[in-house]
Amino acid sequence: MCGIVGYVGSKQATPVLINGLKKLEYRGYDSAGIAVLSEDSDEILVRKSKGALKFLEEKIADEVIKGSVGIGHTRWATHGEPSDLNSHPHTNVSGTIAVVHNGIIENYAKLKAWLQDQGVVFKSQTDTEVIAHLINYFYEKTGEIFKAVLETLHRLEGSYALGVVCTKFPDRVIAARKESPLIVGLGKDENFIASDVPAVLEYTRDVYYLNQNELAVLYNDHVDLFDSYGNKVIRQPSHVEWDMASAEKGGYAHFMLKEIHEQPKALTDTLRPRLVYEGEKPVDIKFDEIDFGEDWKQAGRIVITACGTAYHAGVVGKYAFEKFARIPVAVDVASEFRYRNPILNKNDIFIVISQSGETADTLAALRLAKEAGAKVIAITNCVGSTVSREADEVIYTWAGPEIAVASTKAYTTQLMCLYLLAIKLGKERGNISSSEYEALLSQIQQIPAKAQEIVDNQTEIQKFASQQFNKSKIFYIGRLFDSASSLESALKLKEVSYMHCEAFAAGELKHGPIALVDSDTLVVAIATEPALYEKLASNIVEVKSRGAVTMAITLDKKGAFDSCCNSVITIPDTDAALASMLSIIPAQLFAYYCSVLKGNDPDKPRNLAKSVTVE
């Protein structure tokens, strides 16, 4: 949520800031603004606007804003409605200090009341404006902007990523982070701050990932890092291996469609380094990142926690671990886990899943588990993210940059990691025979190629979407693994098409949901469990007899659903237990085409953001 950029160097700052904000639009926002230290006067030039970034560009199009130091922001409203006034950056009363902020200041009301008692007059409804006035208060006492920022941070409760500029120190940008992500880009005679790497890739691939409670002071020729006490921190920067070409649309109409089509490669990149081969034959699974020692073999339970799409991956993971490793699994929504005083045991394996590695609720659950002494394994797509740094061991999904807000390739690669873990654990614990193990490895090796078959043959899905995108109610149903896959299928449709959609186990139809079924209803059955085809077909007949249009996404080649479904999408043969990595792809495509047909932008769904860094 929200996006921060900052620049200090020899170039004009405004074009750099606007360009960086464009690269962060995928995060979701409702207003944008910049603050530039003027070359012609001792002032900060603040320009901001409600709405899309283009409105800010239009506002400054006929204006020359000279200055080589500045900060910028795209805001997602938390305190105060979206408006020009509530947009960032915010300044102190005299306009000599400007601040951009991601996150939430939980004690802002108390600080605001205290500052008002000191005579400060507030202009906005935001929690961020408190920071600007508090920095000013300590600056007037210390005469030094870094000390003023440091004193301010010690009094803030909540989460923040900050960029600060000051007219009295026009050669620097100060940055700080707690909970919310922030990186520092290292250029030649110029340096940058940003919420995410894409904002700086045009200029540099050398970055510092700021750690929890760290600060950075950026000058045009160097960057100093500090801990929360003001002590200097020395470390080597990280090098980003992917470039901007990886974050461009590459001829696709939308990033979401591009990322759906990238799934075969992403699955290959996630799978291949973790298979051990004898010739062309896979014979084992290895994770260089983790040690399958006694803590895994003797584990009494696995606990998985995540949010949204990653949570749905965890639900599929539950079925996989219990089937292959015969170990009990608890799956929790991270936002619930952190508040319910959860019971954790010393022999639990605790797995957190987060595409961005910055999900606030998931991070809180991770820290709670570590406090309880649990072994924490993270599955994430982002190297250097907070989750990856704080977990005991990290498994990267290697999905590459995912720009569209609605996750697709990150989800299927999360599934791949969970399946590999479950199958390997099953072998280590003696629950899978050698022949079963080899058969599963052979099947899982073919998943990327079969994913390619699906994306290469999507005409039927596109056609069905063109006929059904105006349905008022959509239900996804399935059994066992397919029930779990239904959750993510429904979420994708809700996220990008805004169609009312629910998912539930097919056996629950008669326990209430069937009351909602009528001629305005579409029911999509995910059917990859051959032993349950007959039961699922019976469920489909029930809804069809009440007027619903029906579609099946299935492994079946014998026509089990031909007579009861208006459309049947057949996916390539694979082991039924692995089919969740394939059955989701038609559902993603269906969601995408419904979104486009309804005139929506599937890359930037309303009210959503890519990385949910506040509760």
Side-chain angles (χ1 to χ4, degrees), residues 349-383:
I349 299 292
F350 193 86
I351 300 175
V352 297
I353 310 171
S354 170
Q355 181 278 140
S356 67
E358 303 292 349
T359 311
D361 290 312
T362 305
L363 277 167
L366 179 155
R367 290 163 184 157
L368 193 61
K370 291 196 75 171
E371 288 173 7
K375 180 184 181 71
V376 177
I377 311 298
I379 297 176
T380 184
N381 192 39
C382 293
V383 177

Side-chain angles (χ1 to χ4, degrees), residues 29 182 189 237 249 296 300 341 406 422 479 481 514 526 560 574 592:
Y29 68 103
L182 198 64
D189 297 324
K249 291 180 184 175
W296 280 90
N341 193 21
R479 292 172 179 265
F481 280 94
I514 201 166
I526 302 179
T574 190
Y592 169 78

Side-chain angles (χ1 to χ4, degrees), residues 133-310:
H133 295 307
L134 204 56
I135 292 173
N136 180 73
Y137 174 83
F138 289 112
Y139 175 73
E140 290 180 348
K141 287 186 172 296
T142 65
E144 215 291 316
I145 190 63
F146 179 76
K147 290 181 180 178
V149 171
L150 203 60
E151 290 290 341
T152 297
L153 298 184
H154 291 163
R155 287 156 177 82
L156 300 181
E157 297 173 8
S159 60
Y160 53 76
L162 296 178
V164 181
V165 292
C166 177
T167 57
K168 304 300 181 182
F169 296 84
D171 61 340
R172 70 198 69 177
V173 172
I174 298 176
R177 77 156 294 229
K178 177 188 175 188
E179 312 292 353
S180 293
L182 198 64
I183 63 109
V184 175
L186 305 174
K188 184 177 181 180
D189 297 324
E190 59 183 2
N191 292 296
F192 312 80
I193 61 170
S195 299
D196 203 355
V197 171
V200 303
L201 277 185
E202 182 176 331
Y203 312 102
T204 181
R205 290 197 284 167
D206 294 319
V207 302
Y208 289 122
Y209 296 96
L210 289 188
N211 290 324
Q212 187 80 312
N213 297 313
E214 278 190 342
L215 298 88
V217 181
L218 288 70
Y219 306 88
N220 65 343
D221 58 352
H222 73 284
V223 172
D224 293 326
L225 301 181
F226 299 89
D227 65 18
S228 60
Y229 299 101
N231 301 312
K232 273 198 173 184
V233 174
I234 305 297
R235 70 167 177 273
Q236 292 299 309
S238 300
H239 186 73
V240 179
E241 297 296 338
W242 49 275
D243 56 28
M244 277 312 301
S246 300
E248 297 296 338
K249 291 180 184 175
Y252 290 93
H254 299 95
F255 281 114
M256 183 178 180
L257 185 60
K258 174 177 181 278
E259 289 158 9
I260 291 171
H261 279 258
E262 287 176 339
Q263 286 177 114
K265 181 181 185 301
L267 287 164
T268 298
D269 292 345
T270 301
L271 172 65
R272 186 168 291 278
R274 286 153 179 150
L275 289 183
V276 178
Y277 290 85
E278 287 183 0
E280 297 295 318
K281 179 182 178 182
V283 295
D284 200 4
I285 297 168
K286 66 176 178 69
F287 282 93
D288 293 333
E289 310 97 320
I290 63 174
D291 175 23
F292 276 98
E294 289 302 308
D295 50 353
W296 280 90
K297 295 176 183 178
Q298 302 301 322
R301 182 180 64 152
I302 290 174
V303 178
I304 302 174
T305 189
C307 298
T309 287

